[in-house]
Amino acid sequence: MRTATTMSLTSASGFIVFLLSVTVVQGQNGWGVTYATTQICALKGSTVDMSCTYTYPQWINNWKTTVEKTFWFINSDIKPVDLKTKSEYKGRVYYSYKKNDCFVRISDLRQSDSAQYQFSFMTNQPGGRYTGSPGVTLTVTAHPDLQVHVTRSSSCRNSNCVQVELRCHSSCRLPDNYKYTWFKNRQKIHSQTSSSYSTSFSSEDTVSCAVKLGSEMFSSPPVFAPTVPSVSFSPSGEIIEGSSVTLTCTSDANPPVTKYTWYKRGKNQLQSRGEGQQFVLSFINSSDSGSYSCQTENSLGLKMSEYVYINVKYPPRLPSVSVSPSGQIVEGSSVTLTCTSDANPPVTKYTWYKEDEDSPKASGQNFTITDFRSEHSGNYYCEAQNSRGRQNSTSHLVTVSERTTFIMNIIRLALVFLLLIPLIFLTLQIRMKKTQTINTELKPPETIELDNFQSYENEHVQHREERRLTGGRRPDETSSDVEVSCT
């Protein structure tokens, strides 16, 4: 087998057909068919030419070979039928007869004409029929399917810009010398007519290419950097701790987005969390709450999405209890217990209990006992509750100080005694008044003048001395008053 590469362009009635020619020769013992091309792409309504050459032995067993019939057919036919005789090709097929040349032209192409075509010839030799295989594959399309292929060459000085090499490509290969039209931001670039175009490209630019085939202009879709991405998450609605949440990033771009990067906003910087169009939090917890965004990138630039806030709901954490004042409590003083618990949504109800008692003591985040007694001593705990659940704190012991109680009892007794003194004094005064009243009725009271007290005292001392000297008699007593005893 011998192969070669050629390019042919056939024009008929203003329509253009493009041939990717790879010459193929098939044969054995001098028999063979060589096709000018094995693949042809043509536009609907245009005209296509398919050509080949064929060979055969001039003499076989001293018998000169002559060609009796040549024709083209579709290899899908069960029995080869001359293309010209098929009703769907009537009036649209033309053969050219030249020695050893095989040529067919099909005009007014239809998309139904897409098929594999083969050439066959018959000779006067016994069994002297030969068909060239595999033949020519014809594809008829209504659109050249132009696409702009992008190759990123370098970055511009401007961080929002890249230098790119663009190439206009068609599913039907166009000849290298064909004229193209380029558009940047919908404005025609008059200086560019080749299939390639080098330019600087910002994230807001669009570029497309076009070709004119016959009277019709065909354009490619524009190429552009990613649009601002949008972020969605599922399941939608309330996100519960422990569940699985999937974030999805969507952005339009041509060429398509090649890289998705997920970020979570931290206090001072962005935290990279992963890559891929979807980001899954398989067992989400409260620390995953926050603002998330995704960045999309292709060869022409990148874009960052707006932030989406993920709010993870969870029941109250283990509550903590604080007591003010701390330590042992002075009996009779005021004591405040405070319950604190982290929860999302926030705790909506606090309930206070005393250990070994079923009924609650109070409700609210703060529980105050204004006159603390020894019977108030014991273990207290609180229950925190929100829409996701409830949680009890550990018990907290609150007691009255024994030393303080003893002192307080002494103080109380002293206060009672001080309160009783005026009462006792008042009672004594009343009794004294009653006694004075009785004495006044029985005997007039003697009045002793304080100024004569000293002279009275001196006289009393003198009389006592005289009695001692006289044997106990007063000086004014007579002897007759003395009793004498004789023995």
Side-chain angles (χ1 to χ4, degrees):
M1 179 179 291
R2 174 175 55 85
T3 64
T5 302
T6 62
M7 177 63 68
S8 64
L9 174 64
T10 303
S11 176
S13 303
F15 295 101
I16 299 175
V17 178
F18 305 100
L19 310 179
L20 176 60
S21 301
V22 179
T23 303
V24 179
V25 177
Q26 295 139 334
Q28 186 175 5
N29 299 324
W31 298 86
V33 175
T34 303
Y35 293 100
T37 181
T38 59
Q39 298 284 338
I40 298 178
C41 178
L43 293 176
K44 178 182 177 182
S46 65
T47 297
V48 65
D49 291 342
M50 292 178 282
S51 61
C52 60
T53 58
Y54 60 95
T55 59
Y56 53 88
Q58 295 295 315
W59 294 86
I60 298 178
N61 297 325
N62 298 321
W63 192 356
K64 183 175 175 60
T65 305
T66 59
V67 176
E68 296 180 346
K69 186 177 182 180
T70 61
F71 64 97
W72 289 79
F73 68 95
I74 299 173
N75 71 348
S76 60
D77 293 339
I78 298 176
K79 182 179 180 180
V81 176
D82 189 345
L83 204 61
K84 292 179 68 174
T85 63
K86 296 175 72 72
S87 59
E88 60 267 36
Y89 288 91
K90 188 175 181 180
R92 298 192 297 123
V93 177
Y94 167 77
Y95 291 162
S96 175
Y97 298 97
K98 291 182 180 180
K99 186 178 180 180
N100 297 109
D101 286 343
C102 38
F103 172 88
V104 62
R105 172 175 292 168
I106 305 174
S107 60
D108 191 20
L109 284 172
R110 306 166 186 175
Q111 286 183 275
S112 60
D113 294 338
S114 296
Q116 189 176 57
Y117 295 84
Q118 291 179 299
F119 174 76
S120 182
F121 64 95
M122 291 184 292
T123 68
N124 61 341
Q125 298 287 353
R129 176 176 174 173
Y130 191 86
T131 299
S133 183
V136 179
T137 300
L138 172 65
T139 302
V140 181
T141 180
H143 195 283
D145 191 25
L146 293 176
Q147 299 289 335
V148 176
H149 290 186
V150 179
T151 304
R152 183 170 176 169
S153 56
S154 61
S155 298
C156 305
R157 293 182 179 179
N158 181 358
S159 59
N160 194 36
C161 169
V162 292
Q163 195 72 25
V164 292
E165 184 73 24
L166 307 175
R167 184 173 62 86
C168 193
H169 173 77
S170 172
S171 58
C172 288
R173 181 175 176 179
L174 304 179
D176 293 337
N177 61 351
Y178 198 77
K179 290 186 177 181
Y180 294 77
T181 303
W182 289 91
F183 298 88
K184 186 172 184 179
N185 301 325
R186 299 184 179 180
Q187 300 296 317
K188 184 177 180 180
I189 309 300
H190 296 281
S191 60
Q192 296 296 326
T193 58
S194 66
S195 60
S196 297
Y197 172 39
S198 179
T199 184
S200 60
F201 200 100
S202 73
S203 61
E204 305 301 325
D205 288 338
T206 62
V207 173
S208 62
C209 68
V211 294
K212 189 173 183 180
L213 302 177
S215 60
E216 189 173 358
M217 180 74 78
F218 295 92
S219 298
S220 72
V223 292
F224 53 92
T227 58
V228 176
S230 62
V231 177
S232 61
F233 57 88
S234 64
S236 59
E238 196 172 67
I239 298 174
I240 309 303
E241 187 176 47
S243 63
S244 178
V245 178
T246 300
L247 284 77
T248 302
C249 185
T250 305
S251 176
D252 188 21
N254 187 25
V257 173
T258 55
K259 185 177 181 182
Y260 295 86
T261 307
W262 291 93
Y263 294 94
K264 182 181 180 184
R265 183 161 56 187
K267 292 182 179 180
N268 300 318
Q269 61 182 0
L270 290 177
Q271 303 170 355
S272 178
R273 295 299 300 271
E275 294 185 359
Q277 188 171 8
Q278 291 187 328
F279 174 51
V280 179
L281 296 164
S282 57
F283 194 81
I284 198 166
N285 57 52
S286 58
S287 63
D288 293 319
S289 291
S291 297
Y292 291 82
S293 67
C294 76
Q295 179 181 276
T296 54
E297 183 177 354
N298 70 358
S299 55
L300 296 175
L302 51 84
K303 288 285 177 63
M304 181 77 79
S305 73
E306 298 290 334
Y307 284 97
V308 172
Y309 187 75
I310 298 297
N311 189 15
V312 181
K313 303 297 180 67
Y314 52 93
R317 303 296 193 227
L318 181 67
S320 62
V321 176
S322 61
V323 180
S324 178
S326 59
Q328 290 184 318
I329 310 303
V330 176
E331 188 172 6
S333 63
S334 177
V335 179
T336 299
L337 288 78
T338 302
C339 187
T340 305
S341 176
D342 178 33
N344 188 21
V347 173
T348 54
K349 184 179 181 181
Y350 290 94
T351 306
W352 290 93
Y353 294 91
K354 188 176 181 182
E355 206 169 63
D356 300 327
E357 293 185 12
D358 296 332
S359 59
K361 304 297 291 183
S363 61
Q365 190 170 10
N366 295 320
F367 170 36
T368 301
I369 305 174
T370 55
D371 184 15
F372 199 90
R373 302 286 181 180
S374 59
E375 58 267 22
H376 293 139
S377 296
N379 286 309
Y380 291 84
Y381 65 91
C382 72
E383 179 189 78
Q385 181 179 351
N386 70 355
S387 60
R388 302 310 315 163
R390 61 185 68 195
Q391 181 71 272
N392 290 343
S393 72
T394 56
S395 298
H396 193 96
L397 180 62
V398 182
T399 61
V400 176
S401 171
E402 295 180 0
R403 181 181 177 187
T404 305
T405 303
F406 176 73
I407 295 173
M408 287 300 296
N409 289 336
I410 294 176
I411 293 173
R412 286 196 189 95
L413 290 174
L415 289 173
V416 172
F417 181 74
L418 291 174
L419 291 172
L420 288 176
I421 287 178
L423 183 60
I424 295 171
F425 182 75
L426 181 61
T427 304
L428 290 175
Q429 265 192 335
I430 293 172
R431 287 184 179 180
M432 287 177 65
K433 284 184 180 181
K434 288 183 178 180
T435 304
Q436 287 177 357
T437 302
I438 295 171
N439 291 338
T440 302
E441 292 175 354
L442 295 177
K443 182 181 179 180
E446 294 182 358
T447 301
I448 302 175
E449 294 187 10
L450 296 176
D451 294 339
N452 299 326
F453 180 77
Q454 187 65 42
S455 61
Y456 173 80
E457 180 70 21
N458 294 335
E459 184 178 343
H460 177 71
V461 172
Q462 183 179 355
H463 288 172
R464 186 172 57 190
E465 183 67 23
E466 288 175 354
R467 284 182 181 180
R468 186 181 65 79
L469 296 175
T470 60
R473 298 191 306 268
R474 294 180 182 176
D476 56 348
E477 290 179 343
T478 62
S479 57
S480 59
D481 295 328
V482 177
E483 187 175 333
V484 180
S485 137
C486 295
T487 60

